[in-house]
Amino acid sequence: MPNAFNFAASPFDCLTQQQQRLVREHVDIAYFRAGEVILDVGAAPRHLFVLIKGRVSQFDGDECVARYGPDDCFDGRGLVAGKSSSRFVADEEVLAYELAHQTVNDLIAANADFGALLFSDLGAKLSAVGQRRSSSELQALNLSRVDEAYVRPAHIVEHDTDVVSVVRLFQQERTTNVLVRDARQSPPLLGMFTTNALQRAILSGRALEQIAVGELANWSLISVRPSAQVGDALATMVRHHIHRVVVREGDQVHGVLEALDVFSFLSNHSMLIGLRINAATGIDELAEAAQQITDMIGRQFRGGTQVMLIARMVQDLNARLFERAWQLIAPPDLVAASCLLVMGSEGRGEQLLKTDQDNALILRDGYAPPADLAAICERFSSALERFGYPPCPGRIMLSNPAWRMPVADFSRTVREWLVMPSPDSLMNLAIFLDAHAVAGDAALLAGVRDALWSLATDNDVMLARFAAAIDLFSGSGRWWHRLLGDGADRLDLKKEGIFPIVHGVRSLALAHRVADTATTERLIRLVDAQVLDADMARDLTDALQLLMMLKLKAGLAELDRGQAVSGAVDPQSLSTLERDLLKDALGVVKRFKALLRQRFRLNAL
């Protein structure tokens, strides 16, 4: 056969050179006319078809369930099962490679990834993809600049400062070292006094307040430039058997780089951002940390970290960010007598790149808030906007009095959403069900939740109206046409897949009083309650992860181009493997929606 076979397309991109040669030796080319049935239901496939030119539609009964274009292959599952369960029809003139059945079996036996990518379920495909992704994060972080790591502030004292005064500075600044300046020298000499030197001072037996730190300081400092690579800085520490280096450019001291911080940077960049958030003394510093969260997301994703793990790290960092901002803006008594909560994807722990603000404030009953409470909440919303979180178009923010109430009022409002459902109240209920406390007294949120669950009933009409939102975007079109580039529209992954999964699971959670907020945790509880079977729950988890991954990848690409994050993906940017995975994921969504329509009798609405 010609050498034009595309081994860059999935699943053939995982084959070795010897396996590629096997393909070349056992493949033919076939031609099909427009409208011709390539495989019919019940037929025993003798080949795996790989499209060269043209389009093919797959039918289950009279319904078109998928379409295939160049570099796509079918029917792997039928080949393994021994018969096709669908009908495949040429939409136009089609040229396709035919790979012999025995050759496919030989490839599956020799290459587990090929078999998983060819005919396994979504979870097995994702596992194979994960094993093949390059773990390049450590190398990338080694090449990062020193000033991108956590450079601790430098605290400088004069050479004649007594040891007791320096120990007080250690405690006040939570540090283990200071730089010591000897202005008697020209130019002034710089040294370092550490806790190791403190031990020598104590063991000397002299009164500590009579010992000048200059006597015990190390005057042979090792320095690196801010532009040096983190890996080089670590190598310098190892070479000189030291635990820290001074970061300086000429006479300007930028700070101190600790070995522990370098290790943290190389192992988990999120830890350093958390340290910066905790140490922040102003909104400007928090704004810098908020940008670093976005940078961390990109590094973690490109390094191969699973998207669900990234989402959990982001939830933790955002919670710290919001909590610290609230502590800096609100007076201590307000922080203690309230509960700041986030909702939506942030509340579920499924947010990645920044989206609209969804937050609220619950006040303790009987607490008299400051007279300028409205202004305080406005400042908080403005701070989040500065961090990159735009205002919510529906004003679901604590700066809106409707989302800032005492426990009793909030409980009454939530009960009204439940027992007097309207389109707006059902939307508010859905948002609140995902609430997660990030600052203040979390028991206040628990109290409002208890009021909700105490009134949760088996009101089938209300539950059906609540669940019906899964079809909110059902008129958005046939997604497989856009996957193949048949239309100019981009594919909105949230509308097509993420929202139906999230809201469908949320609806089942409401119906069965599942208090968890994360979609994956709700699925576990629903399986435990025998509401969903384990296979469906696993497929939904895999589909959600895949959709979130593709959405994140598209969003990062938009940020790299200087564009706003849209949440949509350009079908032309998807690889063959990504299209294959996306078809599987959206197939899971379709099955889940059918299950929900039956469970909540949505067709009767």
Side-chain angles (χ1 to χ4, degrees):
M1 61 156 287
N3 290 325
F5 192 97
N6 184 9
F7 287 104
S10 175
F12 300 96
D13 56 342
C14 66
L15 299 182
T16 65
Q17 291 292 328
Q18 181 178 357
Q19 291 161 359
Q20 290 181 14
R21 185 163 56 250
L22 182 66
V23 170
R24 291 191 180 97
E25 292 172 353
H26 296 88
V27 72
D28 292 320
I29 295 178
Y31 167 79
F32 302 94
R33 298 182 303 276
E36 185 174 350
V37 176
I38 301 174
L39 272 178
D40 210 341
V41 177
R46 293 182 297 173
H47 306 93
L48 178 70
F49 295 94
V50 184
L51 292 183
I52 303 171
K53 175 186 176 183
R55 310 284 192 201
V56 171
S57 290
Q58 177 182 351
F59 291 90
D60 284 348
D62 294 330
E63 181 183 5
C64 181
V65 295
R67 297 187 75 208
Y68 300 86
D71 291 330
D72 290 340
C73 61
F74 65 92
D75 174 27
R77 290 186 178 90
L79 202 66
V80 173
K83 65 178 181 179
S84 178
S85 58
S86 300
R87 187 172 76 259
F88 296 84
V89 180
D91 294 341
E92 54 195 69
E93 289 188 329
V94 167
L95 281 179
Y97 292 114
E98 292 182 330
L99 186 59
H101 189 173
Q102 185 56 49
T103 303
V104 174
N105 288 344
D106 292 343
L107 293 173
I108 292 171
N111 192 315
D113 285 350
F114 178 82
L117 293 170
L118 179 62
F119 62 85
S120 294
D121 58 21
L122 179 61
K125 289 182 180 180
L126 286 174
S127 176
V129 171
Q131 292 173 7
R132 293 166 53 203
R133 290 185 66 177
S134 172
S135 299
S136 59
E137 182 185 43
L138 183 58
Q139 179 181 2
L141 290 176
N142 266 302
L143 298 177
S144 298
R145 290 167 53 108
V146 163
D147 54 10
E148 294 177 339
Y150 184 42
V151 178
R152 295 176 182 263
H155 305 286
I156 302 177
V157 300
E158 297 302 325
H159 76 284
D160 54 355
T161 305
D162 66 90
V163 170
V164 173
S165 297
V166 169
V167 171
R168 290 195 185 100
L169 186 63
F170 281 178
Q171 185 178 36
Q172 177 183 339
E173 300 296 338
R174 291 183 292 181
T175 185
T176 59
N177 63 82
V178 294
L179 297 182
V180 182
R181 179 170 50 209
D182 188 350
R184 299 173 300 180
Q185 308 295 324
S186 183
L189 191 61
L190 203 62
M192 180 175 286
F193 181 87
T194 68
T195 51
N196 286 336
L198 174 62
Q199 294 175 18
R200 296 199 303 273
I202 295 172
L203 293 173
S204 71
R206 297 165 57 192
L208 297 182
E209 63 270 12
Q210 297 178 3
I211 302 176
V213 292
E215 297 180 31
L216 298 173
N218 173 19
W219 297 100
S220 301
L221 287 186
I222 305 297
S223 302
V224 296
R225 295 192 308 275
S227 58
Q229 293 177 354
V230 169
D232 290 341
L234 182 59
T236 298
M237 295 184 205
V238 172
R239 184 166 59 251
H240 291 279
H241 305 285
I242 56 179
H243 301 292
R244 58 189 63 84
V245 291
V246 177
V247 181
R248 64 194 298 182
E249 190 81 61
D251 294 333
Q252 182 182 3
V253 175
H254 291 258
V256 177
L257 181 66
E258 303 265 2
L260 179 61
D261 294 333
V262 173
F263 295 140
S264 298
F265 181 80
L266 295 176
S267 62
N268 185 357
H269 188 52
S270 67
M271 177 180 175
L272 300 179
I273 301 175
L275 290 173
R276 291 187 174 183
I277 291 172
N278 294 340
T281 58
I283 298 301
D284 290 344
E285 296 171 65
L286 290 179
E288 293 176 3
Q291 178 56 48
Q292 290 166 352
I293 293 175
T294 301
D295 297 338
M296 178 210 72
I297 292 170
R299 278 193 294 268
Q300 295 280 357
F301 177 71
R302 295 181 180 107
T305 305
Q306 281 193 350
V307 69
M308 289 297 189
L309 177 57
I310 298 175
R312 285 196 292 271
M313 287 191 288
V314 170
Q315 183 186 38
D316 177 66
L317 290 174
N318 283 347
R320 295 195 204 183
L321 182 71
F322 298 159
E323 179 182 31
R324 188 61 184 143
W326 185 238
Q327 290 170 344
L328 291 173
I329 292 170
D333 66 304
L334 174 57
V335 174
S338 67
C339 177
L340 175 66
L341 54 97
V342 294
M343 298 171 288
S345 59
E346 185 70 64
R348 297 191 306 273
E350 293 160 12
Q351 186 183 84
L352 293 162
L353 299 179
K354 297 178 177 68
T355 57
D356 298 344
Q357 299 179 35
D358 280 325
N359 50 61
L361 187 69
I362 303 176
L363 301 170
R364 184 175 297 149
D365 286 336
Y367 169 70
D372 61 344
L373 176 62
I376 293 171
C377 293
E378 284 288 354
R379 288 200 296 273
F380 179 79
S381 295
S382 297
L384 262 58
E385 186 173 3
R386 185 174 176 190
F387 298 162
Y389 298 88
C392 173
R395 292 196 45 77
I396 302 172
M397 303 180 294
L398 56 85
S399 54
N400 179 358
W403 290 92
R404 183 180 72 237
M405 293 179 282
V407 171
D409 293 342
F410 224 120
S411 299
R412 182 173 56 255
T413 300
V414 170
R415 287 196 296 264
E416 289 174 356
W417 292 340
L418 185 66
V419 301
M420 293 186 290
S422 67
D424 287 343
S425 67
L426 290 176
M427 178 192 72
N428 291 337
L429 179 60
I431 292 168
F432 179 77
L433 284 172
D434 296 339
H436 173 71
V438 295
D441 186 357
L444 302 179
L445 172 59
V448 177
R449 272 220 178 93
D450 289 344
L452 169 64
W453 296 122
S454 68
L455 272 186
T457 64
D458 296 326
N459 186 330
D460 291 341
V461 175
M462 185 279 293
L463 291 172
R465 292 178 63 184
F466 185 79
I470 61 167
D471 290 322
L472 192 60
F473 307 110
S474 59
S476 54
R478 292 161 60 176
W479 49 263
W480 58 82
H481 287 285
R482 280 171 285 158
L483 274 179
L484 294 173
D486 289 359
D489 292 342
R490 303 176 75 205
L491 194 65
D492 191 317
L493 297 177
K494 179 178 179 180
K495 292 181 179 180
E496 299 286 355
I498 295 175
F499 179 80
I501 292 175
V502 166
H503 188 69
V505 173
R506 182 165 49 209
S507 300
L508 290 171
L510 175 61
H512 296 275
R513 298 174 177 81
V514 174
D516 298 81
T517 56
T519 302
T520 52
E521 292 300 319
R522 284 170 169 166
L523 285 167
I524 292 172
R525 301 293 175 266
L526 291 169
V527 170
D528 291 342
Q530 298 183 337
V531 176
L532 281 177
D533 66 64
D535 289 341
M536 172 60 80
R538 186 195 65 241
D539 288 347
L540 288 169
T541 300
D542 293 336
L544 179 61
Q545 177 169 309
L546 185 276
L547 293 165
M548 289 173 60
M549 184 270 287
L550 293 179
K551 185 170 179 277
L552 174 59
K553 181 182 177 183
L556 290 172
E558 288 173 324
L559 290 178
D560 289 342
R561 296 192 297 266
Q563 299 172 343
V565 176
S566 67
V569 63
D570 180 1
Q572 299 302 314
S573 69
L574 296 176
S575 67
T576 305
L577 173 58
E578 288 168 340
R579 283 205 312 272
D580 184 39
L581 292 170
L582 184 52
K583 286 176 183 176
D584 286 347
L586 294 177
V588 171
V589 173
K590 181 179 177 181
R591 287 192 286 115
F592 184 48
K593 290 172 73 173
L595 182 152
L596 293 170
R597 289 191 188 98
Q598 181 180 15
R599 163 63 179 82
F600 293 106
R601 299 183 177 90
L602 299 186
N603 294 333
L605 292 180

